[in-house]
Amino acid sequence: HSQQARLDVLVIMRNISVFVERYDYNLNAQVFVERVSSSKSLNAIDIAHIAASIRTHGPGVLNTAVNYVYQFLKAKIQSFSIFLFDDHIRSRLMKDARFFEKNREECGNVYPYDRAEAFNRDIRSLGTADGVSYLDRFRQLVTEIGNSMGFIRMLRSGGLNALANEIKFVPNLQRILALQDLTIEAGLS
């Protein structure tokens, strides 16, 4: 239960950049697991945690969380675009695209592994920023975009889960009997 309090939708939403950087998303299990922890245990958040948070804060938290993540994704996709339009990256990508179009049949419609390795070497030769290569930064960016989209998917699933658990309290309007009929039937009138 204390884990649910720590991994609340509001806390994640306010720290979305830290969350997508420190957690990995398992698409099949629909769970986020902390990559590294200073304690002996790793934190995890799944659909049940999201549903509990929605029950606590109300369904309005979904709209706010989606808007926060949308703004975050907008900035990340802009960084993605800037990376792809960098002159060094773009020229190498265009060169490889022309090669592939020209040699598609000879390659069996599969991009050659040796060309991919050469591309990787060329990008690594561009240097590093803060000790991390540009390609590794790009991988990190793609991972953060994917984690953000995974969080949105979990919000949707958690919202559906919370709704499914609460729908049992909504009466069936087709089976509501008139009070007068019930009192006559019970012999109270």
Side-chain angles (χ1 to χ4, degrees):
H1 187 66
S2 65
Q3 194 175 27
Q4 284 182 345
R6 280 187 289 173
L7 298 172
D8 190 58
V9 169
L10 291 178
V11 173
I12 293 169
M13 176 184 66
R14 289 185 184 123
N15 301 304
I16 188 69
S17 60
V18 174
F19 178 76
V20 298
E21 188 178 306
R22 292 186 184 168
Y23 283 77
D24 285 328
Y25 180 59
N26 182 327
L27 182 65
N28 295 324
Q30 285 211 27
V31 64
F32 276 97
V33 179
E34 193 174 20
R35 279 190 201 131
V36 179
S37 177
S38 56
S39 67
K40 290 184 179 183
S41 61
L42 295 174
N43 288 321
I45 183 166
D46 62 3
I47 293 171
H49 289 101
I50 301 288
S53 183
I54 292 168
R55 280 192 297 278
T56 301
H57 302 293
V61 74
L62 291 172
N63 238 0
T64 307
V66 168
N67 286 336
Y68 262 76
V69 176
Y70 170 77
Q71 295 302 323
F72 176 77
L73 271 172
K74 195 166 104 176
K76 289 296 177 181
I77 290 173
Q78 193 170 27
S79 297
F80 182 87
S81 178
I82 289 168
F83 177 84
L84 289 178
F85 284 104
D86 178 87
D87 289 336
H88 299 295
I89 306 294
R90 187 165 187 247
S91 65
R92 180 58 204 234
L93 286 172
M94 295 300 289
K95 178 181 169 187
D96 282 352
R98 283 190 300 274
F99 167 81
F100 186 69
E101 284 300 317
K102 192 180 286 185
N103 301 302
R104 184 182 293 250
E105 273 75 34
E106 295 91 41
C107 296
N109 239 7
V110 176
Y111 190 74
Y113 186 78
D114 58 330
R115 298 270 312 184
E117 280 185 327
F119 177 79
N120 196 5
R121 268 192 310 276
D122 285 352
I123 300 303
R124 287 196 190 280
S125 72
L126 293 176
T128 62
D130 302 326
V132 180
S133 75
Y134 287 107
L135 196 56
D136 289 337
R137 289 183 80 120
F138 186 67
R139 284 186 194 118
Q140 188 177 21
L141 179 65
V142 169
T143 300
E144 290 175 7
I145 290 171
N147 283 351
S148 301
M149 295 172 79
F151 182 63
I152 294 295
R153 182 177 183 192
M154 278 190 59
L155 284 173
R156 179 184 178 274
S157 297
L160 290 172
N161 185 297
L163 182 65
N165 286 333
E166 293 179 13
I167 197 74
K168 61 188 169 197
F169 299 112
V170 176
N172 183 348
L173 297 178
Q174 303 299 322
R175 292 187 19 217
I176 294 179
L177 301 174
L179 182 61
Q180 183 179 8
D181 295 342
L182 291 173
T183 55
I184 291 172
E185 191 177 302
L188 298 173
S189 74

